[in-house]
Amino acid sequence: MCGIVGILGRQPVASSIVEALRRLEYRGYDSAGLATLEDGRLTRVRASGKLHNLEEKLAAVRLTGEIGIGHTRWATHGRPTEINAHPHASDKLAVVHNGIIENFRELREELTAKGHVFATQTDSEAVAHLVTEAMRQGAGPAAAVAAALPRLRGAFALVFLFNAEPDLLIGARRGSPLAVGWGAAGVYLGSDALALAPFAHTIAYLEEGDQVIATRAHVVFHDAAGREVERRRQPLLAGSFLVDKGNFRHFMAKEIHEQPEVVGRTLAHYLDLAAGTVRLPFELSFDPKTLSRVTIAACGTAYYAGLTARYWLERLARLAVDIDVASEFRYREAPLPENGLTIVVSQSGETADTLASLRYAKQHGQHILGIVNVETSTIARESDTLALTLAGPEIGVASTKAFTCQLAVFACLAIALGRARGVLSEADEKRLVGELVTTPGLMADALNHEARLEPVAHDIARASSVLYVGRGVAYPLALEGALKLKELSYIHAEGYAAGELKHGPIALIDDNMPVIVLAPPDATLEKTISNLQEVAARGGHIIFIGSARAREAAAAELAGFVELPDIASAFAVIVYAVPVQLLAYHAAVFMGKDVDQPRNLAKSVTVE
Ligand code: G6P
């Protein structure tokens, strides 16, 4: 899941390539590189590490090429060295690649036997040589790419630049996203609209299997069968893609603080606030009354949103729910019942495993509902019903506002399905919606007390291992809390259902290991407090997140207390997500970690 860009400009393009790459860094930042055509010669500049390393190198060279391609890498094959950085090149072309070429070993052997010399350990280099080979056999650039593509197995997006072609870029997509943008200063190719926003006024997305042949004057699309096709060109509103930290030190901080607004916006989209009812902004492709089962598949934080939703869908809509991480679900060969609904959840809408789960479910006759943040993404387009989260662009690699918006959508959906299935009354709906609409305000309150939680975060930062525990909907939040801490601070952390502590993890407890107890005020609170007592009895280092009343009931010695208001809401867990995120954020900042771009991670994971 790298970021790729290509520009056919009318002035030197290197600085615009870098600008686009900056917007794509969320897709990976192990290395970066670009290639331009300088007087008919391909010139490459590449650097390991983050984009600023490439920028430093570029400061020392003057590139005048008016056509070029660029790449920011999340390493899959081969270490993140400069040699392995894209673009990869031959004597005829350079290429940037996002995704994985599964059969690269086979191709490498075949091409090596034909005299091609490989310089890198990457899978991507095989593509450069494969197309070069076709050109050596006499094919022109477009024919060579068209001949090479069917030989590639895997998921990818590619952009090619050719030595002898100052007015041609060729792009292809299979599995990974690619878009074309038109602007006053040229034609652009890029992994997403975000990359193209500063340059393009209109944009078109390649469909699965498409190839695009772009010159400054003409852009021609071919579908997987090689037929010339039209792809819808739509306006690109640059303002909506602003990538800006505002007054915050990090994107993540900004995104955590945006939550009252974006959760509010998302709720407003799904609720009739005047009537106090749910009003879904789409038609359902199924009859909720006859629905046999709900299956949920997602990855990472989106999966934890799904795990939370299981409680709501079971309780409020009386639906049977099966849920799994998408990387397992797609290979389980799970039998899916007739009239079943599969819900896929994804911020980016491009996560390879989630997309594959969607396709599996579709093949098995399921209705597909996608809860997605990026409206133009593949998952959004392939879902029968699209339920948008209105979180806006999320740049911090660790998901925050997308998560709480996913929860907001799920909450509305559970109420709507409960009503449609006749298991919730009109009065239940009014009460639940009333509770839900208090969420943004309560999140804002929680954010106002940020300073109080910093010392607790610093305490956590000193630990080498941390446990998060909760029951009911606080259990998935415990998992999410542990994930957030791991990914941001690199401190080992685990989330547990509080009731499971005694079946193993309690053996770990000593006064060096913080145990973070998530205790929202629901029917499980008393039980959670009993579990807390078990930890206290063993001298555990307890950090309690709950109301003052719950703390009093806990009556235990605490190492830390994060106070939240007494929230009378079935959806209190959405508010509890805020301190959980802030604890991980402040622990990582205190430790001097790169919270927006943690090591080894990427925002959009388009490999399996
Ligand atoms: C990556 C990100 C996570 C995200 C997961 C799923 O691992 O770092 O923050 O939760 O992918 O991404 P998606 O875009 O499908 O929600």
Side-chain angles (χ1 to χ4, degrees):
M1 67 241 134
C2 312
I4 61 179
V5 61
I7 303 183
L8 284 145
R10 295 188 180 88
Q11 291 173 5
V13 292
S15 62
S16 298
I17 291 178
V18 170
E19 187 175 347
L21 291 180
R22 186 168 303 116
R23 291 165 158 260
L24 287 170
E25 253 198 312
Y26 75 93
R27 302 176 68 86
Y29 36 83
D30 288 330
S31 65
L34 57 76
T36 54
L37 219 59
E38 307 287 319
D39 301 318
R41 258 185 330 112
L42 270 175
T43 303
R44 283 190 293 165
V45 183
R46 300 175 297 162
S48 64
K50 292 200 177 165
L51 191 58
H52 58 79
N53 296 351
L54 177 69
E55 287 180 274
E56 269 171 32
K57 280 187 126 181
L58 285 170
V61 282
R62 214 174 87 81
L63 295 179
T64 56
E66 297 179 358
I67 180 170
I69 56 178
H71 187 270
T72 178
R73 178 168 189 238
W74 186 82
T76 58
H77 298 64
R79 293 179 57 76
T81 56
E82 183 178 331
I83 291 281
N84 285 333
H86 298 221
H88 295 295
S90 69
D91 57 340
K92 299 204 180 301
L93 57 89
V95 62
V96 285
H97 165 223
N98 165 31
I100 286 184
I101 307 298
E102 287 173 6
N103 57 333
F104 80 102
R105 278 196 193 81
E106 222 171 285
L107 294 171
R108 197 180 167 111
E109 263 175 43
E110 174 189 322
L111 292 159
T112 305
K114 288 187 175 146
H116 291 259
V117 179
F118 281 75
T120 78
Q121 288 113 38
T122 64
D123 54 336
S124 319
E125 196 186 359
V127 181
H129 291 288
L130 190 64
V131 176
T132 302
E133 178 60 25
M135 291 178 77
R136 283 191 191 159
Q137 304 297 323
V145 172
L149 290 178
R151 301 238 18 230
L152 303 177
R153 280 210 311 271
F156 53 79
L158 299 160
V159 180
F160 296 88
L161 168 69
F162 301 87
N163 280 15
E165 302 285 346
D167 190 20
L168 175 70
L169 288 177
I170 298 182
R173 113 154 243 182
R174 194 196 297 160
S176 304
L178 191 64
V180 180
W182 289 261
V187 171
Y188 303 82
L189 275 72
S191 296
D192 65 16
L194 199 59
L196 306 184
F199 316 109
H201 47 69
T202 46
I203 188 167
Y205 291 89
L206 272 73
E207 297 283 347
E208 190 63 7
D210 276 1
Q211 199 188 326
V212 60
I213 299 170
T215 64
R216 289 174 182 83
H218 299 287
V219 174
V220 181
F221 295 91
H222 293 271
D223 67 11
R227 283 182 300 253
E228 197 171 319
V229 281
E230 291 288 331
R231 295 295 174 223
R232 192 167 69 88
R233 209 165 138 172
Q234 42 193 301
L236 177 63
L237 305 169
S240 59
F241 290 104
L242 277 184
V243 178
D244 181 5
K245 281 187 209 147
N247 293 329
F248 292 92
R249 232 174 115 189
H250 302 103
F251 282 112
M252 186 180 177
K254 171 174 168 259
E255 288 159 8
I256 290 174
H257 281 264
E258 275 172 0
Q259 291 180 108
E261 190 197 325
V262 295
V263 167
R265 193 197 306 160
T266 301
L267 288 175
H269 195 58
Y270 287 83
L271 299 176
D272 181 335
L273 290 168
T277 56
V278 177
R279 190 188 50 201
L280 296 180
F282 44 72
E283 292 289 316
L284 292 173
S285 64
F286 54 87
D287 176 4
K289 285 205 189 69
T290 56
L291 210 53
S292 54
R293 193 172 73 195
V294 175
T295 303
I296 304 176
C299 299
T301 293
Y303 168 68
Y304 295 140
L307 265 186
T308 314
R310 175 169 68 181
Y311 291 83
W312 293 335
L313 290 165
E314 287 176 348
R315 192 171 300 150
L316 304 178
R318 305 304 301 149
L319 276 162
V321 180
D322 176 34
I323 170 161
D324 205 346
V325 288
S327 53
E328 286 302 314
F329 174 76
R330 64 181 290 191
Y331 293 116
R332 256 172 50 199
E333 297 177 27
L336 296 172
E338 212 172 302
N339 241 336
L341 168 69
T342 292
I343 304 180
V344 288
V345 194
S346 176
Q347 186 285 127
S348 61
E350 300 293 349
T351 301
D353 286 318
T354 311
L355 178 58
S357 299
L358 177 159
R359 289 177 179 161
Y360 176 88
K362 211 175 214 184
Q363 267 167 19
H364 291 78
Q366 301 289 290
H367 306 283
I368 309 288
L369 189 142
I371 299 183
V372 180
N373 196 42
V374 180
E375 190 171 5
T376 48
S377 63
T378 313
I379 294 179
R381 281 181 279 134
E382 293 194 17
S383 297
D384 300 323
T385 306
L386 170 61
L388 270 181
T389 47
L390 304 185
E394 192 182 61
I395 305 299
V397 167
S399 187
T400 53
K401 61 175 181 169
F403 174 65
T404 45
C405 286
Q406 286 158 358
L407 292 178
V409 170
F410 265 129
C412 296
L413 191 66
I415 301 171
L417 292 177
R419 278 293 281 147
R421 290 165 59 76
V423 291
L424 287 181
S425 66
E426 206 179 315
D428 292 332
E429 178 181 15
K430 283 244 158 71
R431 174 178 52 79
L432 289 165
V433 169
E435 292 173 6
L436 202 46
V437 293
T438 63
T439 308
L442 290 164
M443 293 175 104
D445 279 354
L447 285 163
N448 287 337
H449 295 119
E450 183 171 4
R452 288 211 304 238
L453 139 172
E454 281 183 48
V456 182
H458 299 169
D459 177 32
I460 294 173
R462 284 184 269 270
S464 53
S465 191
V466 177
L467 271 187
Y468 286 74
V469 298
R471 277 176 176 258
V473 283
Y475 165 44
L477 186 61
L479 296 170
E480 167 63 5
L483 178 68
K484 280 279 108 35
L485 189 69
K486 269 185 280 216
E487 55 187 351
L488 296 177
S489 69
Y490 321 142
I491 295 173
H492 170 253
E494 281 189 73
Y496 260 96
E500 270 292 295
L501 269 183
K502 53 186 161 303
H503 299 293
I506 202 159
L508 295 171
I509 284 167
D510 60 20
D511 58 5
N512 292 321
M513 186 177 65
V515 180
I516 301 179
V517 180
L518 306 175
D522 58 22
T524 64
L525 180 60
E526 255 175 53
K527 306 276 177 211
T528 306
I529 288 176
S530 309
N531 299 135
L532 176 150
Q533 300 293 353
E534 292 155 12
V535 177
R538 287 159 181 85
H541 185 105
I542 301 171
I543 293 166
F544 188 73
I545 305 186
S547 68
R549 201 155 56 95
R551 181 205 174 148
E552 212 172 295
E557 200 184 312
L558 302 178
F561 175 45
V562 177
E563 185 180 339
L564 286 174
D566 225 336
I567 305 171
S569 163
F571 309 106
V573 70
I574 308 180
V575 182
Y576 273 63
V578 171
V580 165
Q581 296 163 348
L582 286 173
L583 280 181
Y585 170 77
H586 284 293
V589 170
F590 182 66
M591 293 168 78
K593 303 295 186 214
D594 185 346
V595 289
D596 280 336
Q597 297 183 329
R599 72 183 181 204
N600 303 339
L601 300 182
K603 181 90 190 133
S604 175
V605 183
T606 50
V607 295
E608 24 173 319

